[in-house]
């Protein structure tokens, strides 16, 4: 993979997806439901980053949809679901984000521990 210029990180993918999603939501001529709009979002991402985009949408789609109305920018939405780090802060797990529920708790063992939901994730989500 020589071409580093097109490699996008999760934060950038999230921001582009959120901006596009927001644009589609505001377009009155788009009469699709949220799931149909979410399906389209990753089509604007460069092909080699689409699997990552799809993973973001599959995991966070409903949260992105609800956060768009509450937060001012795509970056804030992506910070809220922990795909972008807040500038100048050491990345912390838990806190306010624990209110996002199982999709947030079970992203990783660190998230699950920080939210006190490790047992839940092991029993209900990860079940290996």
């Amino acid at each position: 993979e020589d071409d580093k210029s097109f490699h996008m990180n999760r934060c950038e993918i999230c921001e582009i997806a959120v901006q596009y999603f927001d644009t589609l939501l505001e377009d009155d001529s788009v009469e699709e439901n949220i799931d149909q709009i979410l399906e389209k979002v990753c089509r604007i991402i460069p092909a080699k980053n689409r699997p990552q985009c799809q993973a973001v949408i599959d995991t966070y789609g409903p949260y992105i949809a609800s956060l768009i109305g509450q937060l001012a920018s795509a970056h804030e939405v992506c910070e809220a679901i922990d795909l972008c780090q807040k500038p100048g802060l050491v990345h912390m797990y838990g806190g306010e984000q624990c209110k996002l529920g199982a999709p947030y708790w079970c992203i990783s063992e660190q998230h699950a521990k920080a939210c006190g939901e490790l047992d839940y994730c092991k029993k209900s989500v990860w079940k290996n």
Side-chain angles (χ1 to χ4, degrees):
E1 203 171 88
D2 305 340
D3 189 6
K4 295 276 184 246
S5 62
F6 281 97
H7 181 71
M8 299 166 67
N9 64 36
R10 289 189 331 163
C11 179
E12 292 164 329
I13 290 170
C14 178
E15 288 178 346
I16 290 171
V18 168
Q19 286 165 351
Y20 185 56
F21 183 71
D22 196 25
T23 305
L24 290 176
L25 280 180
E26 288 173 3
D27 183 347
D28 291 336
S29 68
V30 176
E31 292 185 8
E32 295 159 325
N33 66 32
I34 298 230
D35 292 336
Q36 290 169 314
I37 292 173
L38 285 170
E39 272 177 40
K40 287 183 173 175
V41 165
C42 293
R43 290 186 199 153
I44 63 160
I45 302 283
K48 70 179 183 181
N49 293 300
R50 280 187 199 140
Q52 223 178 343
C53 177
Q54 203 53 57
V56 167
I57 294 302
D58 291 347
T59 307
Y60 301 106
Y63 292 108
I64 289 171
S66 65
L67 290 169
I68 280 176
Q70 299 168 34
L71 299 170
S73 71
H75 190 77
E76 286 179 8
V77 170
C78 297
E79 276 180 359
I81 56 177
D82 258 15
L83 293 179
C84 296
Q85 295 185 7
K86 292 180 175 71
L89 293 176
V90 174
H91 185 66
M92 300 294 287
Y93 297 102
E96 277 294 301
Q97 284 90 340
C98 290
K99 293 178 185 170
L100 292 172
Y104 176 83
W105 307 333
C106 303
I107 293 169
S108 69
E109 201 166 314
Q110 291 95 325
H111 285 81
K113 284 179 182 170
C115 294
E117 297 294 345
L118 189 58
D119 288 343
Y120 171 83
C121 293
K122 282 181 177 172
K123 284 181 199 149
S124 305
V125 180
W126 298 332
K127 299 182 206 161
N128 331 5

